[in-house]
Amino acid sequence: MKAYYNQEAKKVQEEINGSRQPLTDSQVRANQEKYGMNELAEGRRKSTARIFLEQFQDFLVMILICSALVSFFLGEAESAAVILAVIMMNALLGTIQTKKAENSLNSLKKLSAPNAKVLRNGAVVEIPSREVTVGDEVHLEAGDYVPADGRILESASLKVDESALTGESLGVEKISEALEGQLPLGDRKNMVYSGSFVTYGRGVYVVTGIGMETEVGKIAGLLKNTSEKKTPLQRNLDEFGRKLSVIILVLCGVLFGMQVMRGGNAGDAFLFAVALAVAAIPEALSSIVTIVLAFGTQKMAREGAIIRKLQAVEGLGSVSVICSDKTGTLTQNKMTVEHYFLDGKDIPAKEIDPENPLHKQMLRLSILCNDSTNLDGQEIGDPTETALINLGEEKGVPAGRVRDAYPRLSELPFDSDRKMMSTLHKLQDGCTMVTKGAVDVMLGRVKYIQKNGEVREITREDREMLEKANEHFSKEGLRVLGVGYRPLDVVKKLVPEDENDLVILGLIAMMDPPRPESAQAVADCKSAGIRPVMITGDHKVTAAAIAKRIGILEDMSEACEGAEIDGLSDEELKEFVEHISVYARVSPEHKIRIVRAWQEKGNVVSMTGDGVNDAPALRQADIGVAMGITGTEVSKDASSMILTDDNFATIVKAVENGRNVYANIKRSIQFLLSGNFAGILAVLLASLLGLPVPFAPVHLLFINLVTDSLPAIALGLEPHKHTVMGEKPRSVKESILSQSFLTRIGVEGGVIGFLTLGAFLLGYRQGGARLGSTFAFGTLCLSRLVHGYNCKGKKPVLFTKEFLNNRYMQWAFLAGAVLLTAVLTIPAVQTIFAVQTLDLTQLLTVYGFALASLLIIQLLKKMQH
């Protein structure tokens, strides 16, 4: 789009329309054919079938499908059915969760005004906003949404809230004069943009861009071109599946070779090796991961965070950089009075006392010279004015009571030329004009000052004192208003000339303050090794002031404006971001580049935001976090997670949850792999010793269904620990199958495997292969049930509170032990499960082997720690 803000308004209209006259019906039709309708391009939505099929993309799931096919061709239809049932359950869970949280990705349309007032054929008519076209002359007044981008032709104190696009919390005063230089969107005061909202005044503008050519349309385009990222867990599980398949194939290859070298039938050896490979794969893993993540979403929802994409639960635990929007995220998105400056003294808001006559006078005047209202919590008016009446309510001086006592008799509305507003009232001291406005303008019209209880002529020292206070507040990022008055002899209609010879009462400094929890949340982020970064469309001074208050910024050298990024290449930006904590006056493109630069440095990036301007960066980030209350529908749809309480501190809780979820998933994987390794080892050792195979196929099926699944799910639901926040974020390159992790699997699986073989040998010698197989099956099953307790932590948990702190584990153990005992002792089921019924002594022997595995592994942990 051309820089229309650099051109005179009428020249822009002439360039677009070919004349300075409003469009005729024929011109409207021609422009609509040329430019299209004023609507955003439709995005394609994923069908339920596609979402369902996408659940099968994981490498581990593909291996399981292959395993099911092999099992079927080997005649083990039961195993194939179980594997496919597990895969289908996992896919259904994933699909339901995605559909449940999915909102329309076309919500940008909701930002379009339903109707617009345009000048057609010499008359103002109301039309659907989609029919607005380039060249239309649109009329705006307070309460209207802006239907399309355009250049201001006339402005009568027009103020527009552009926070959804720029992130700036204050309404922008609009002008019609041309501006000089290349300016960021937030500083183009003679332009209006689709999706913004008129808060004050009236105006007329000529449309310069519609549909996808508007600023909102550009953001929609960025969203289309920004791909979603796989979470670290997804990448880890893909890698894990590949490594696991290689390890299993190597082990099975070794076993096949041994069988052949011992003179066994090559065909039988191959079938046995394949069957063992199928048994070694943890079929339950995908479902367990999905169940653990689903439980994680429920816990987060209770704590104020709705997860839209299941994998984001764990992804939060890997976050190393949080890029946060300022307005409405770190701040309250509500202007609040911070200081009075009266009698030469700085008075913090909490020390304002309505019993003090001077304080009460300032409260009263700031309420009278004010157009805003707050009825039953519904604020109407300019945010700076609502801040003044809210302070009155807080201090027991309600606006309604003050205005009833001193009705407005005349007024001079605010306009951007005078930068002030005046109202006339009959006060206790007589007829008085009350004025508030920009400090520099007020000081130019002041003749007197009220100080130390008297009114006297203002001196140079007084002016310097007020200018110094104004400068101090401004440097702190506060917005400053001057408040004064002028006694008048009679009630009259106010004219601009009356706004001279004023008495200055004092200054009011206000800002959109940080949320009370933000500082602690930032501190928690830092202690957890997470780098907090502020990215905002607001001014640098304001952004830096907030960032300093909450601990993001330590030195002004760590703050920059978006214009500085424009001149940097992607490589230069990668080095630049390391040293910057605050980015001000940034565009959506800047936000994407900043997020991408951190990602290319190997970081997992979370981006938080609530405006339309945040949406592309939310999509680009590994974890996009939107605000549920103040957030636009667009930002919510682009996000992975939505905060229902708009509280930055909730992100820290979510990170803690994410880290705990990952730790629990690792516990489940450790449990599954060490148990499977124990089974493979027992078979391998029996083969080396020339003994029969210890397990029947039905045994492996029982293990997969009962002793694999129940404790693994229970481990995934281990109580969360706050200690995870004392650790640094894990590297994106860190593999699940690290050397230490594999060592633990090998040692623990080895202990269970040797004890299982020992039980097999004992039973084999006492009663032959059937009893030996029953002993081995019972020992492996029960050992795996008690092994769940071993996987609760790296340190021993026996005889500690931690041993019994997970009720799910108690139920899993109890259910598994009861089912196993039933299989081993009830004669009616011995044929089905290929076991020999055990007497009490034999049953206790099996229990003894299983208990020994728990004691040995706990002892080894004790020796290590």
Side-chain angles (χ1 to χ4, degrees), residues 699-766:
H699 293 164
L700 299 175
L701 193 62
F702 185 89
I703 289 167
N704 280 337
L705 278 173
V706 180
T707 56
D708 259 8
S709 302
L710 296 178
I713 292 170
L715 280 169
L717 303 176
E718 271 286 294
H720 289 189
K721 300 174 184 175
H722 184 66
T723 52
V724 295
M725 291 304 281
E727 303 166 7
K728 299 296 179 190
R730 72 177 190 278
S731 168
V732 288
K733 296 177 183 176
E734 179 189 307
S735 170
I736 291 177
L737 298 179
S738 62
Q739 188 174 346
S740 61
F741 190 66
L742 286 172
T743 302
R744 285 201 301 277
I745 289 168
V747 170
E748 293 169 10
V751 169
I752 297 170
F754 277 108
L755 286 168
T756 301
L757 182 66
F760 174 72
L761 287 170
L762 182 64
Y764 185 62
R765 286 172 183 166
Q766 286 184 4

Side-chain angles (χ1 to χ4, degrees), residues 249-566:
L249 288 173
V250 168
L251 281 172
C252 292
V254 169
L255 189 62
F256 170 75
M258 287 170 56
Q259 292 273 58
V260 173
M261 286 172 65
R262 288 178 52 215
N265 180 279
D268 290 342
F270 175 74
L271 292 176
F272 178 71
V274 171
L276 190 63
V278 171
I281 291 170
E283 290 92 343
L285 180 58
S286 292
S287 291
I288 287 164
V289 168
T290 303
I291 290 166
V292 172
L293 292 176
F295 269 88
T297 65
Q298 291 176 18
K299 178 173 172 54
M300 288 188 183
R302 290 194 297 271
E303 295 178 353
I306 295 172
I307 301 298
R308 292 187 66 249
K309 294 160 189 171
L310 206 55
Q311 289 78 11
V313 177
E314 174 279 332
L316 278 158
S318 314
V319 166
S320 52
V321 177
I322 297 180
C323 295
S324 176
D325 185 37
K326 176 184 73 69
T327 307
T329 308
L330 291 164
T331 68
Q332 299 174 25
N333 197 19
K334 182 178 181 181
M335 290 298 285
T336 307
V337 173
E338 298 267 310
H339 299 267
Y340 276 179
F341 188 78
L342 296 168
D343 263 355
K345 297 170 190 169
D346 178 359
I347 304 159
K350 62 184 179 183
E351 295 177 18
I352 295 170
D353 180 8
E355 298 301 317
N356 181 306
L358 187 60
H359 297 188
K360 189 172 185 178
Q361 184 182 7
M362 179 63 98
L363 282 166
R364 185 181 292 160
L365 297 189
S366 63
I367 289 169
L368 292 174
C369 188
N370 190 319
D371 286 331
S372 67
T373 58
N374 185 346
L375 298 174
D376 301 321
Q378 183 67 38
E379 296 179 358
I380 301 171
D382 187 85
T384 57
E385 293 199 324
T386 56
L388 300 175
I389 63 169
N390 287 341
L391 178 67
E393 294 284 346
E394 183 187 323
K395 298 296 180 181
V397 185
R401 195 171 72 200
V402 174
R403 289 169 178 172
D404 288 343
Y406 309 107
R408 185 178 297 185
L409 306 173
S410 182
E411 65 180 299
L412 283 171
F414 176 90
D415 71 48
S416 53
D417 292 329
R418 290 172 25 256
K419 294 188 178 178
M420 53 179 21
M421 167 187 181
S422 297
T423 57
L424 184 64
H425 309 267
K426 264 194 175 180
L427 303 183
Q428 291 165 336
D429 299 331
C431 189
T432 305
M433 180 186 72
V434 184
T435 304
K436 78 173 192 305
V439 177
D440 55 340
V441 177
M442 289 279 289
L443 287 176
R445 295 171 179 256
V446 164
K447 187 175 181 181
Y448 306 97
I449 185 170
Q450 180 176 322
K451 196 173 180 186
N452 300 324
E454 64 175 9
V455 176
R456 58 171 173 78
E457 283 203 19
I458 192 166
T459 63
R460 190 178 69 182
E461 289 76 16
D462 293 329
R463 290 182 184 279
E464 287 174 355
M465 172 190 69
L466 291 166
E467 286 168 355
K468 190 175 179 182
N470 182 36
E471 185 181 358
H472 167 72
F473 289 139
S474 298
K475 282 183 177 177
E476 292 297 314
L478 280 74
R479 183 169 192 183
V480 191
L481 290 176
V483 177
Y485 61 93
R486 180 185 173 186
L488 296 178
D489 296 331
V490 292
V491 174
K492 55 172 284 193
K493 183 180 180 182
L494 294 179
V495 293
E497 289 72 25
D498 291 323
E499 294 177 323
N500 290 307
D501 299 336
L502 298 172
V503 180
I504 185 84
L505 178 63
L507 310 180
I508 301 177
M510 61 189 81
M511 75 183 311
D512 176 14
R515 291 177 174 274
E517 319 83 12
S518 291
Q520 185 58 51
V522 168
D524 289 345
C525 282
K526 287 185 172 181
S527 66
I530 300 168
R531 172 79 179 270
V533 177
M534 180 191 286
I535 304 180
T536 179
D538 215 337
H539 291 280
K540 181 176 172 179
V541 172
T542 309
I546 295 290
K548 272 188 177 179
R549 279 200 190 192
I550 60 178
I552 289 179
L553 186 73
E554 293 178 6
D555 189 87
M556 278 301 290
S557 63
E558 297 172 18
C560 78
E561 292 197 344
E564 296 176 49
I565 297 172
D566 288 329

